[in-house]
Amino acid sequence: MKKLILCLTAMCVWLPTSSAFAQDDDELYKTKNCFACHRIDRHYHAPTFKSIAAKYADEKGADVKLVKKILEGGSGVWGPAPMPPQPQVTEAEALRLARWILQIK
């Protein structure tokens, strides 16, 4: 876990934040299996991205917490249904996805 946090902290320095980058993120979640359970603003099988963003809006380090959840999975935060780990997502992609989710209003 320390290695993951150090790696993510280092990535904070060089990840782009332009609107072109954000546009790519709008499509990334569709290619990484997120859409199988999540929607932006409509409940499907899992919480909406908007509700996730609202839940973690004021939490420092929320992006790192979400990266861990994306990569390792988990359960209990949104009810009994588990979120499976997403091994097809790299750490860098998980960070992009987490930051994209957190900026949704």
Side-chain angles (χ1 to χ4, degrees):
M1 183 63 186
K2 273 187 177 180
K3 182 179 175 185
L4 173 65
I5 292 172
L6 289 174
C7 183
L8 293 175
T9 303
M11 289 180 353
C12 292
V13 175
W14 64 267
L15 279 175
T17 58
S18 71
S19 59
F21 180 78
Q23 186 67 33
D24 292 340
D25 292 343
D26 285 342
E27 298 301 315
L28 181 62
Y29 82 96
K30 294 177 185 174
T31 66
K32 294 300 175 181
N33 207 30
C34 307
F35 206 60
C37 297
H38 297 277
R39 299 294 187 268
I40 293 174
D41 58 5
R42 181 175 56 89
H43 184 78
Y44 190 56
H45 293 297
T48 67
F49 291 134
K50 281 187 176 184
S51 62
I52 295 168
K55 179 176 185 72
Y56 295 104
D58 297 324
E59 189 171 322
K60 191 172 186 143
D63 55 350
V64 174
K65 180 182 260 187
L66 290 177
V67 165
K68 185 175 190 268
K69 186 74 72 173
I70 292 166
L71 296 175
E72 299 176 10
S75 65
V77 176
W78 299 94
M83 176 168 164
Q86 302 299 312
Q88 77 283 4
V89 179
T90 67
E91 287 182 21
E93 289 168 337
L95 184 60
R96 285 177 54 196
L97 287 165
R99 289 181 176 170
W100 175 78
I101 291 166
L102 291 169
Q103 60 81 36
I104 295 172
K105 302 290 182 220

